[in-house]
Amino acid sequence: MFCKFPLGACGPAAELVGRVLAEQLGLESVYVCGADHPQLDTNQTHAWTETGPFIIDLTHDQFPNTGVTGWVLPASSGWHAQFREKDRRKGYCMPSGWPMYPHGAYRAILEHLEA
């Protein structure tokens, strides 16, 4: 699911960010899936993680002309605010709730954090 990162990887990336925030830092987060953005195709969606006053979006760079730089952004990010529909849910999915869970990606993240 990450072979063309960042293309098509926003949901799984946001899920993994939420899990790392909870397990490694003890932070609660919200998974957000946005739809109906004026700069995107009609059926195109995008997902990111919110925690406290921040948006963490590892895959925004798959879209041109967002004006967004970096991966940790203020919750007031103008590009993210333009999504007219936002589906929010607390936390993240654990492997038991996700048959094709990206175990390898999660292990890679943990190994990188330990380095």
Side-chain angles (χ1 to χ4, degrees):
M1 69 183 60
F2 293 110
C3 66
K4 293 183 180 180
F5 186 88
L7 298 175
C10 58
E15 290 280 357
L16 292 175
V17 166
R19 183 173 177 193
V20 169
L21 289 172
E23 293 180 353
Q24 302 298 311
L25 300 173
L27 296 174
E28 290 186 19
S29 65
V30 176
Y31 174 95
V32 182
C33 182
D36 194 14
H37 192 285
Q39 291 178 301
L40 303 181
D41 292 338
T42 303
N43 294 320
Q44 200 167 17
T45 62
H46 183 57
W48 61 89
T49 303
E50 294 181 357
T51 184
F54 300 105
I55 289 173
I56 301 173
D57 187 348
L58 303 182
T59 62
H60 67 79
D61 54 351
Q62 67 186 296
F63 305 107
N65 305 315
T66 63
V68 176
T69 57
W71 294 329
V72 180
L73 315 159
S76 61
S77 165
W79 186 75
H80 293 84
Q82 291 181 57
F83 282 92
R84 294 180 189 103
E85 297 177 29
K86 293 179 189 156
D87 180 30
R88 299 173 182 273
R89 65 171 165 74
K90 283 190 149 195
Y92 51 91
C93 287
M94 288 298 289
S96 61
W98 187 356
M100 297 296 293
Y101 195 83
H103 294 284
Y106 184 68
R107 278 192 304 276
I109 292 168
L110 296 181
E111 289 172 6
H112 182 75
L113 291 174
E114 291 174 1

